[in-house]
Amino acid sequence: PAQAAAPTPGASGLGDRLDPGLGNGGYDALHYDLDLRYATSTPSQPIDGTVTIDARATQALSRFNLDFGGERVGAVSVDGVPARWRRAGEELIITPRQWLRDGERFAVRVSHFTAVPTEPSDDPASTAFFVHQDGSATAGQPFSEHLVFPSNDHPRDKATFAFRFDVPAGTTAVANGVLEGRQTRGGRTVWRYAERHPMATELTQLAVGDLEFSSPGRRPGVQLRDVTPPAITDAMRPHLALGPAQLDWMEARVGSYPFDSYGTLIIRADLGFALETQTLSLFDTSWFDLPQDVWDSTMVHELSHMWFGDSVSPYEWSDLWLNEGHASWYEFTYAEEQGFLEEDTVGYPDDTGYATLDELMRAVYAHGDQWRHDYGPVAQPADADALFSFQAYHGGALVLYALRQAVGDATFGRIERAWVARYRDTSASTGDFIALASQVARRDLSGFLRAWLYGRRTPRMPGHPDWTVDPVQS
């Protein structure tokens, strides 16, 4: 037999264009088992956690890394045998006692790691694990979930999850997926959740505090559950009651909902954003102080992420337009149908409303060259700071508008359905989208889409030869 390859260290990063050190090479994470203890019910309570990661080696491994930027680590073992480990920045470097063969399944256990919540601020890392008025929650997108627990923190390496929360009795714990049970004994309650669909680490939700569950209704095959502080539950019910109709609206356009549960988590804090944590969209209460046209269409934006971004995750962070461009597209088309575009002024590039989607897209088109200059092309952000710019959201939606103009409504709808069906529960790239669109349309769209996605100048809009792009300002 051929001699086995000599073991070598796994890469300390996946080479993502915008954050090369994020994630790790040499293995594929398959499942996370998170065991989390909150000693008290105070919102600022740290986590004392243990994570067991089932993985498969993708090379002969002499050592491998996890991403972790939390406070401390107690011990590390591989397949139950103590392993040597050290920390270098936000890397946890692990050397098992015996090297791992290519293709071998193994379990790495990191015991008694500590994560401490922070007050939300303008620093995105401050919301990875944050306190709010009624407890704590997580929002680690894009690069910060490893501040909470050791992981392979990149959406290219998705895995299933199990969660166990040990909290004081009377405290509610909630995570992604479905509740598998809870038990109270000796003044403490253990909550167990499971997310059976592969999930990117940045979509994890760990919410603990004075919270309660409600449901806006029933849906066959999908558990609908909303989570709110009791002090605001009654006030939030009319907003959350729209959830089932919004779910019907999305399913009519892109097919069946991809997960086992869905709902909204509303917290009393000032985050300044909403976030699509898998199966549970996160909002702060400030959204619902705005007119209905804003929060209603934003709820659809976050719901659409369950297909675009959660079920089908980006292969690398430059592919973020596949998340935000699609979510903005469905937000805008929903708002147009509801008659909201004319009134909704939040987040639009000119801070004004538009009566139709065509009017909005024409205004976005006018900014095309400026945004390419400021932030980079739609699928090639200039840097990590440009990742969540207008270009990813409105610019991404404009690409989809141009595609629909080129192939027609019926073919565009088939492309959308095929995308979320073919790549369900996986990570996919811009190149994958271009190839699939060409296949479904039965024509080579690579030149057309690459010009829209990677070009430094905004292409002509099909069907609208009169549309013009504003000159670039320094």
Side-chain angles (χ1 to χ4, degrees):
Q3 184 175 358
T8 55
S12 61
L14 285 177
D16 188 284
R17 179 179 158 270
L18 295 178
D19 192 338
L22 195 66
N24 302 282
Y27 64 92
D28 175 20
L30 304 173
H31 179 78
Y32 289 82
D33 196 310
L34 277 168
D35 192 344
L36 310 171
R37 189 176 192 276
Y38 296 66
T40 73
S41 59
T42 57
S44 59
Q45 176 61 47
I47 293 174
D48 176 9
T50 293
V51 61
T52 303
I53 306 172
D54 294 326
R56 179 185 293 111
T58 57
Q59 66 180 68
L61 279 174
S62 58
R63 70 170 187 258
F64 61 92
N65 290 18
L66 297 176
D67 300 307
F68 184 56
E71 294 296 306
R72 64 179 297 271
V73 169
V76 178
S77 64
V78 176
D79 290 333
V81 179
R84 291 190 291 114
W85 60 273
R86 62 185 176 88
R87 298 185 69 178
E90 295 185 350
E91 296 287 330
L92 177 59
I93 303 167
I94 300 167
T95 303
R97 185 171 297 178
Q98 182 173 353
W99 63 272
L100 300 166
R101 297 183 302 275
D102 186 5
E104 181 178 352
R105 290 280 296 266
F106 65 96
V108 54
R109 182 181 179 92
V110 182
S111 303
H112 296 296
F113 66 84
T114 303
V116 180
T118 60
E119 292 285 344
S121 72
D122 292 336
D123 179 2
S126 72
T127 57
F129 180 32
F130 66 92
V131 297
H132 56 86
Q133 190 169 334
D134 303 282
S136 62
T138 56
Q141 191 184 86
F143 308 141
S144 300
E145 198 65 38
H146 63 277
L147 302 180
V148 187
F149 62 93
S151 61
N152 199 18
D153 192 15
H154 193 282
R156 191 180 306 171
D157 193 6
K158 300 170 68 166
T160 56
F161 278 74
F163 305 91
R164 180 183 183 274
F165 296 87
D166 179 352
V167 298
T171 300
T172 298
V174 61
N176 316 84
V178 295
L179 176 64
E180 292 200 318
R182 61 177 175 176
Q183 183 178 28
T184 300
R185 180 180 301 167
R188 299 191 65 83
T189 301
V190 172
W191 299 72
R192 296 180 183 273
Y193 290 87
E195 176 47 278
R196 303 183 183 98
H197 292 267
M199 179 170 66
T201 49
E202 50 104 5
L203 301 172
T204 307
Q205 183 53 257
L206 310 172
V208 168
D210 184 14
L211 304 167
E212 66 179 356
F213 297 95
S214 61
S215 176
R218 296 179 179 272
R219 285 294 305 273
V222 181
Q223 180 190 79
L224 299 181
R225 48 129 191 203
D226 295 316
V227 185
T228 50
I232 63 171
T233 299
D234 288 344
M236 292 297 106
R237 284 187 198 278
H239 311 308
L240 299 173
L242 297 178
Q246 293 173 341
L247 193 56
D248 291 341
W249 189 89
M250 278 299 301
E251 286 190 329
R253 281 149 186 83
V254 295
S256 61
Y257 179 72
F259 302 122
D260 301 320
S261 67
Y262 183 67
T264 301
L265 167 63
I266 302 177
I267 51 94
R268 295 194 287 178
D270 185 13
L271 292 180
F273 61 84
L275 184 64
E276 65 279 9
T277 57
Q278 189 159 311
T279 73
L280 196 64
S281 293
L282 172 67
F283 285 80
D284 65 36
T285 50
S286 67
W287 285 97
F288 303 97
D289 295 330
L290 299 169
Q292 179 175 348
D293 47 274
V294 178
W295 56 258
D296 193 345
S297 55
T298 303
M299 287 175 68
V300 170
H301 180 108
E302 302 307 327
L303 171 61
S304 65
H305 273 309
M306 298 302 123
W307 288 264
F308 302 96
D310 292 14
S311 179
V312 185
S313 298
Y315 185 77
E316 66 173 18
W317 280 109
S318 291
D319 300 315
L320 181 74
W321 80 272
L322 288 165
N323 301 16
E324 299 302 348
H326 276 101
S328 298
W329 173 259
Y330 290 103
E331 173 192 351
F332 297 156
T333 53
Y334 174 83
E336 182 185 46
E337 289 188 19
Q338 301 295 320
F340 290 160
L341 274 177
E342 193 164 4
E343 292 109 23
D344 184 356
T345 64
V346 173
Y348 289 166
D350 300 310
D351 195 29
T352 187
Y354 301 92
T356 66
L357 181 66
D358 287 345
E359 288 183 12
L360 171 61
M361 290 294 100
R362 183 171 187 169
V364 172
Y365 183 84
H367 291 273
D369 284 359
Q370 186 69 56
W371 291 349
R372 288 166 193 263
H373 172 272
D374 293 344
Y375 309 120
V378 176
Q380 199 172 49
D383 51 35
D385 290 337
L387 188 57
F388 291 93
S389 69
F390 274 130
Q391 186 71 297
Y393 292 76
H394 297 74
L398 185 69
V399 172
L400 298 175
Y401 179 87
L403 177 61
R404 191 183 71 168
Q405 290 291 109
V407 302
D409 288 352
T411 299
F412 177 77
R414 289 195 296 271
I415 292 170
E416 293 292 274
R417 286 175 173 268
W419 175 251
V420 296
R422 179 172 301 183
Y423 292 105
R424 180 173 179 169
D425 288 339
T426 65
S427 302
S429 69
T430 298
D432 293 326
F433 184 82
I434 293 171
L436 179 137
S438 298
Q439 180 183 11
V440 173
R442 298 184 177 180
R443 54 184 277 203
D444 185 0
L445 293 168
S446 58
F448 175 83
L449 282 171
R450 288 190 68 84
W452 276 94
L453 291 163
Y454 295 106
R456 293 287 168 178
R457 299 295 298 273
T458 306
R460 293 284 188 180
M461 177 60 70
H464 294 290
D466 57 321
W467 285 15
T468 59
V469 180
D470 293 340
V472 174
Q473 304 295 318
S474 296

